[in-house]
Amino acid sequence: MNAIPEQFLQSVQAKKAAIKPFPASTKIYLQGSRPDIRVPLRRIDQSPTQTSQGPVANPPVYVYDTSGPYTDPEVEVNLTKGLPPLRARWIEERGDTEVLPDLTSEYGRKRLDDPTTAHLRFPNPRRPRRARAGANVTQLHYARRGIITPEMEFIALRENQNLQAMKEAYGQRIHPGQPFGAHLPEEITPEFVRQEVTAGRAIIPANVNHPESEPMIIGRNFLVKVNANLGNSPVVSDIEEEVEKMLWAIRWGADTVMDLSTGKHIHETREWILRNSPVPVGTVPIYQALEKVDGKAEELTWEIFRDILIEQAEQGVDYFTIHAGVRLAYIPLTANRVTGIVSRGGSIMAKWCLAHHKESFLYTHFEEICEIMKAYDVAFSLGDGLRPGSIADANDEAQFAELKTLGELTRIAWKHDVQVMIEGPGHVPLHLVKENVDKELAECYEAPFYTLGPLVTDIAPGYDHITSAIGAANIGWYGTAMLCYVTPKEHLGLPDKEDVREGIVTYKIAAHAADLAKGHPAAQYRDNALSKARFEFRWLDQFNLSLDPEKAQEFHDETLPQQSAKVAHFCSMCGPHFCSMKISQEVRDYAEQEIEIGMQEKSKEFLQQGAEIYRKV
Amino acid sequence: MNAIPEQFLQSVQAKKAAIKPFPASTKIYLQGSRPDIRVPLRRIDQSPTQTSQGPVANPPVYVYDTSGPYTDPEVEVNLTKGLPPLRARWIEERGDTEVLPDLTSEYGRKRLDDPTTAHLRFPNPRRPRRARAGANVTQLHYARRGIITPEMEFIALRENQNLQAMKEAYGQRIHPGQPFGAHLPEEITPEFVRQEVTAGRAIIPANVNHPESEPMIIGRNFLVKVNANLGNSPVVSDIEEEVEKMLWAIRWGADTVMDLSTGKHIHETREWILRNSPVPVGTVPIYQALEKVDGKAEELTWEIFRDILIEQAEQGVDYFTIHAGVRLAYIPLTANRVTGIVSRGGSIMAKWCLAHHKESFLYTHFEEICEIMKAYDVAFSLGDGLRPGSIADANDEAQFAELKTLGELTRIAWKHDVQVMIEGPGHVPLHLVKENVDKELAECYEAPFYTLGPLVTDIAPGYDHITSAIGAANIGWYGTAMLCYVTPKEHLGLPDKEDVREGIVTYKIAAHAADLAKGHPAAQYRDNALSKARFEFRWLDQFNLSLDPEKAQEFHDETLPQQSAKVAHFCSMCGPHFCSMKISQEVRDYAEQEIEIGMQEKSKEFLQQGAEIYRKV
């Protein structure tokens, strides 16, 4: 591990590629009910359509923006200072937290005093905040008391994505969707957000120690979200790279990131990420716990784990994956599996349980965990430690036994007003995907589902972003609230920056496909705008409206690099004299001018008569 | 257009990358009932599992092999000679065809005599074959007469993929699937093949002038197939490149290829491809017709089109996409679409219909087209000229009006014993995908469905192999028989070799995901074998069993290039001291050795009692 080059982290200017705004895009803010509720959106401007009557303007398209202040030219960001604490005043105003004089966790204090890591340490740490004695500071707690927090209002504005403007501009031929059990309102209101949180159907990961985060929501009656995993390992990667990956991930659209580091300096890496992350950050605390016992799972104790929870909660981690559903009795159910236990957290806890022949300390201390979580508003992501690691093991007894326990734990967490989501598989063939959602909703009382993929086949390592995106689009459609991305390197190696980009864009596709299929009110406008641009040969608009404008343009340039081709009324697939879009435009003009109503009437009449010239044979 | 470098095309040795056998793979042949029925499969050998009791062998895995004689070291292939005519004897023995002294088509003869293209011409053409007067030489015709052709027997052996051997080796935990309307037998027999062809539920594209092709079947009660589009355009690409792309496509698993060339030398390109292609070749004859009238759709005539059908049928094209369902009355139904008519063939015919204000000549001459097709056994791929080009236009009146007409035409083709499949969309949101299959099966009397994607969102140009693979996996599961691949360049440019690879592997994933979900009897064994290898850290076996062994290994090497890492019991994601697979193996050993039956009993008992320690809250 080398020291962090100060000049590298000092300024975001050094990381231009990771924060470069997208073309034709401007960051705008929707104003909420109070001056400090300013909700970021990205506005994409378009060129006009050229018609025989002259140019006709195409209204801008507004899209959800996860990139944070980095893409706002008004905000000067310095990675060593961290982001401005957007939510600090809201948290403070509630008056139910206090700033602590010191870190509560033993390990946190130890790291702070360690001279050997001084050069790696984030130079401007925040003092930790915690609920006052007896207070509960979770968004669920407020929601249940009828309070609409600024976070909830922020989310309502954000989810709508300037709905009215988009509807007016691109509201033609919108499909109603098939939402299964989802209940999508015509417009998201702050009160709707509150109700969904109250019901436990949605969570707002928002640790009081992560005031830099821009509020977002995870629930099946909202936009499907995407998580990107980061994290170093003993083999490769370091702090600098992880921070850059985080910046890169939010640029491409990650709604949350998980820091899954397992190497040294987990603590320091996480601090750098949190202070600079505008999206919620999740972790798997057991990974760090295992580091402390030198990889010997059987030496883990509740005390070690507890200290880590507090350490991470005071740094600002917004949700914890906790594999409390791996119970002693379920472990033998995995013995005949093709791929046993593939979850890292699950296998650690399984080993501990067997070594001690005791129920997991995560399970037996679950109420104490809740006590910690509610003092900081850390949400649970109840881990699926027994998820299937292969098609053969999908939907088996071990998996569903654990799911039932996760439901039991959900009720306990809710008793403490702690927010909960449930993790899901894994590897599942297409026809068994829906059962996962149906069971999760039933067994876990509609707590939001958060799934990895699932991969719909095992036979394509190197392409598992795709095998899993197929499962992800489907499971999102059926009701999963957040999708954990998978990169092309899954099963093979650690993702580099390009893999992160590929993984996120792939998962934005899956999430958007699910939103369209559910009939999310704000989903289809972007498709309509892009398709209109495509049909009208507005090449740059087509690129700019896409999920990855840079790649779209790069691919187009490979065949037709000339600038003139960007305004050409043809493309490289058919060439200038043979273009269906062009012919189709002629057909449209012809149909509209020459035939008009008469022909359309005639055609309807013809259709009603059975539309056949040949008689049935 | 440059001359073809003779030395380049002379020997396949020059195209090593395109024909290189996969690692640990051997081409084997299953012997049929007669010596010349030899069905190729690829056998993948594996290393043994290392156990404390010593090595335990892992049986080989057999996979469907589309690569043709190129990967057989016993066969010497020379591209200027073409492939050996595998089916020639079968065709001859039937005694219902005759070899013609000359090409029948005017254009074919003209091209043969053209000195300016002599240097581009395939040097060893075959003399054309045609049905004797009054004979019908289609596989459907034979099937209906109760004849099991060698082609049908070949297909039965091929589809089973050495089922019994695979079942014995990897038959654990097989999921039964959800086949919707499919009826998958436990084992594919020649008689089953015949029955499916008879019912029109499957087709065997097998032009008597393409004896080089290895028989394959397209039908929803068989493995889902993948088609790869090739084809030059006036902007780029030439013969040499197209031949190489074909070789490349079949190496990665394309079951058929379509030559969609629109530039000059369409005729010559097609000849090179056909003489060297072991998979059926499809075309869209209207593209060539349009070339002949210099791109002026309104100047097309039945006579021009007819001559092209004969020209291509005598070259050996196995199926023709014909957009005979684009009827005059349907065209105004597209006028208010967001993206009008996006099918090239559809827009050409629409323009013709409007210009003449007449019913399309493809529709009015349909019976004559059937007469030509049955004399060579060319199958119909009835084109979806009015398919939606955007999410907004999915499943609209124009699309479904055309589909109804395609059903009407199917019955006419069947009257002539001509084989038929039906093309499908396009751009469709996930929740509207199934309706496409259900309607197609109903309106077109269960003729096999052959779809492009569909793309489930419009917003990701540059990633449309993925947006469409999501739709493709689903539509395959619902009952689509063949998937037309989409490459990352879709909407942006012409695919290069790497795009073809990416597109095909992506579509093999979609097809396999569909086979798994339908419960195809031969599908899951490969997943089980690969997952077993993964669980046992047999890295090379894992790579070798995958759809793209080269990419899997390359990705692994990026993080852990050392040869030792290929036998290491860990991977780069977690490092040597922190590996869930490793821990899981320990758990398994522990569970098996220490606890055995007693604990499993106890755990079942525990589960039956409700599996809760905490009481309900």
Side-chain angles (χ1 to χ4, degrees), chain A residues 220-289:
Chain A
R220 76 181 190 285
N221 296 326
F222 299 92
L223 292 162
V224 175
K225 303 303 187 296
V226 171
N227 171 69
N229 288 341
L230 314 173
N232 56 8
S233 92
V235 181
V236 284
S237 196
D238 61 19
I239 291 179
E240 199 178 298
E241 209 177 312
E242 293 311 312
V243 172
E244 197 172 352
K245 269 193 216 160
M246 181 275 289
L247 294 177
W248 190 244
I250 60 171
R251 177 173 196 259
W252 293 108
D255 293 289
T256 75
V257 296
M258 289 193 76
D259 175 19
L260 303 185
S261 296
T262 58
K264 279 179 189 172
H265 313 303
I266 300 183
H267 179 86
E268 289 72 23
T269 306
R270 192 188 309 122
E271 186 76 28
W272 279 97
I273 291 175
L274 275 162
R275 297 291 73 79
N276 289 292
S277 173
V279 301
V281 175
T283 63
V284 188
I286 202 80
Y287 293 175
Q288 189 179 352

Side-chain angles (χ1 to χ4, degrees), chain B residues 373-441:
Chain B
M373 312 277 271
K374 70 187 178 191
Y376 304 94
D377 199 5
V378 183
F380 275 112
S381 183
L382 290 177
D384 55 338
L386 303 182
R387 69 167 176 265
S390 56
I391 291 296
D393 296 341
N395 294 26
D396 73 352
E397 206 180 351
Q399 183 194 341
F400 286 143
E402 182 188 31
L403 185 65
K404 207 173 156 63
T405 297
L406 299 185
E408 178 198 346
L409 298 172
T410 299
R411 308 263 322 233
I412 295 167
W414 284 350
K415 195 179 70 179
H416 293 269
D417 289 352
V418 176
Q419 305 188 90
V420 180
M421 61 181 169
I422 307 290
E423 293 187 10
H427 292 239
V428 184
L430 262 183
H431 68 295
L432 298 183
V433 170
K434 190 158 184 298
E435 187 184 17
N436 279 275
V437 181
D438 294 344
K439 266 199 189 295
E440 190 274 340
L441 294 177

Side-chain angles (χ1 to χ4, degrees), chain A residues 431-475:
Chain A
H431 68 294
L432 298 183
V433 170
K434 190 158 184 298
E435 186 184 18
N436 279 274
V437 181
D438 294 345
K439 267 199 188 295
E440 190 275 340
L441 294 177
E443 305 271 12
C444 300
Y445 313 99
E446 301 191 63
F449 204 22
Y450 164 36
T451 64
L452 180 83
L455 288 74
V456 295
T457 168
D458 305 339
I459 67 170
Y463 297 81
D464 279 335
H465 59 311
I466 299 174
T467 66
S468 66
I470 293 169
N474 278 276
I475 210 165

Side-chain angles (χ1 to χ4, degrees), chain B residues 91-391:
Chain B
I91 295 163
E92 213 165 309
E93 280 177 6
R94 289 194 275 259
D96 51 5
T97 54
E98 60 192 357
V99 175
L100 303 175
D102 281 311
L103 295 174
T104 311
S105 78
E106 199 184 313
Y107 188 72
R109 287 198 300 272
K110 204 172 110 192
R111 292 303 274 198
L112 206 57
D113 296 336
D114 184 355
T116 68
T117 54
H119 62 294
L120 300 175
R121 211 169 293 143
F122 183 75
N124 294 293
R126 235 168 249 299
R127 278 176 60 201
R129 190 178 275 279
R130 191 178 60 190
R132 289 183 191 282
N136 185 326
V137 301
T138 73
Q139 294 285 323
L140 175 54
H141 187 75
Y142 306 136
R144 283 183 169 175
R145 265 140 204 82
I147 299 164
I148 294 176
T149 61
E151 284 87 344
M152 295 172 197
E153 186 186 335
F154 188 104
I155 285 165
L157 286 166
R158 196 174 195 188
E159 288 280 323
N160 283 324
Q161 295 177 84
N162 226 357
L163 191 60
Q164 287 314 318
M166 294 295 286
K167 196 172 187 170
E168 279 163 33
Y170 301 101
Q172 280 189 304
R173 305 175 79 99
I174 299 292
H175 296 291
Q178 182 184 342
F180 293 106
H183 299 282
L184 300 155
E186 274 182 41
E187 188 169 341
I188 310 280
T189 63
E191 171 59 17
F192 179 76
V193 173
R194 190 197 65 77
Q195 285 170 10
E196 289 294 297
V197 173
T198 300
R201 275 195 299 269
I203 68 168
I204 301 173
N207 187 325
V208 296
N209 288 309
H210 189 202
E212 301 89 348
S213 73
E214 296 175 337
M216 56 79 70
I217 195 161
I218 302 167
R220 75 182 191 285
N221 296 326
F222 300 92
L223 291 163
V224 175
K225 302 304 187 295
V226 171
N227 170 69
N229 289 339
L230 314 173
N232 57 8
S233 92
V235 181
V236 285
S237 195
D238 62 18
I239 292 180
E240 198 179 300
E241 209 177 312
E242 293 312 313
V243 172
E244 197 172 353
K245 269 191 214 162
M246 181 275 289
L247 294 177
W248 190 243
I250 60 172
R251 176 173 197 258
W252 294 108
D255 293 288
T256 75
V257 296
M258 289 193 77
D259 176 18
L260 303 185
S261 296
T262 58
K264 280 179 187 170
H265 313 302
I266 300 184
H267 179 87
E268 289 72 22
T269 306
R270 192 188 309 123
E271 187 75 28
W272 279 97
I273 290 176
L274 275 162
R275 297 291 73 78
N276 289 293
S277 175
V279 302
V281 175
T283 62
V284 188
I286 202 79
Y287 294 175
Q288 189 180 351
L290 195 73
E291 292 285 326
K292 284 206 198 165
V293 293
D294 292 324
K296 296 180 190 117
E298 58 277 19
E299 293 184 9
L300 287 167
T301 64
W302 161 241
E303 288 68 31
I304 291 171
F305 188 76
R306 182 181 174 282
D307 193 64
I308 287 170
L309 289 186
I310 294 170
E311 173 207 340
Q312 298 198 6
E314 294 191 353
Q315 282 190 308
V317 173
D318 300 284
Y319 61 89
F320 287 153
T321 294
I322 295 189
H323 299 90
V326 179
R327 298 192 56 186
L328 181 63
Y330 304 157
I331 298 167
L333 300 176
T334 66
N336 292 322
R337 280 180 161 186
V338 170
T339 47
I341 302 174
V342 295
S343 151
R344 284 190 271 177
S347 58
I348 293 165
M349 292 319 299
K351 194 172 178 185
W352 189 94
C353 290
L354 289 184
H356 297 273
H357 212 277
K358 269 167 66 176
E359 200 60 83
S360 141
F361 60 82
L362 299 178
Y363 184 77
T364 56
H365 290 269
F366 195 75
E367 300 236 24
E368 287 160 87
I369 298 174
C370 294
E371 295 289 350
I372 297 167
M373 312 277 271
K374 70 187 178 191
Y376 304 94
D377 199 5
V378 183
F380 275 112
S381 183
L382 290 177
D384 55 338
L386 303 182
R387 69 167 176 265
S390 56
I391 291 296

Side-chain angles (χ1 to χ4, degrees), chain A residues 290 351 463 548 578 586 588, chain B residues 290 351 463 548 578 586:
Chain A
L290 196 73
K351 194 170 180 186
Y463 297 81
D548 186 343
F578 192 89
E586 290 173 29
R588 181 186 284 192
Chain B
L290 195 73
K351 194 172 178 185
Y463 297 81
D548 186 343
F578 192 89
E586 290 173 30

Side-chain angles (χ1 to χ4, degrees), chain A residues 175 290 327 337 341 351 363 391 457-458 463 489 527 531 548 558 578 584 586 588 613-614, chain B residues 175 290 327 337 341 351 363 391 457-458 463 474 489 527 531 548 558 578 584 586 588 613-614:
Chain A
H175 296 292
L290 196 73
R327 298 191 56 185
R337 280 180 160 185
I341 301 175
K351 194 170 180 186
Y363 184 77
I391 291 296
T457 168
D458 305 339
Y463 297 81
K489 292 276 170 63
D527 295 78
S531 288
D548 186 343
E558 274 180 32
F578 192 89
S584 183
E586 290 173 29
R588 181 186 284 192
I613 282 184
Y614 287 98
Chain B
H175 296 291
L290 195 73
R327 298 192 56 186
R337 280 180 161 186
I341 302 174
K351 194 172 178 185
Y363 184 77
I391 291 296
T457 168
D458 305 338
Y463 297 81
N474 278 276
K489 291 277 169 63
D527 296 78
S531 288
D548 186 343
E558 274 180 32
F578 192 89
S584 183
E586 290 173 30
R588 181 186 285 192
I613 283 185
Y614 287 99

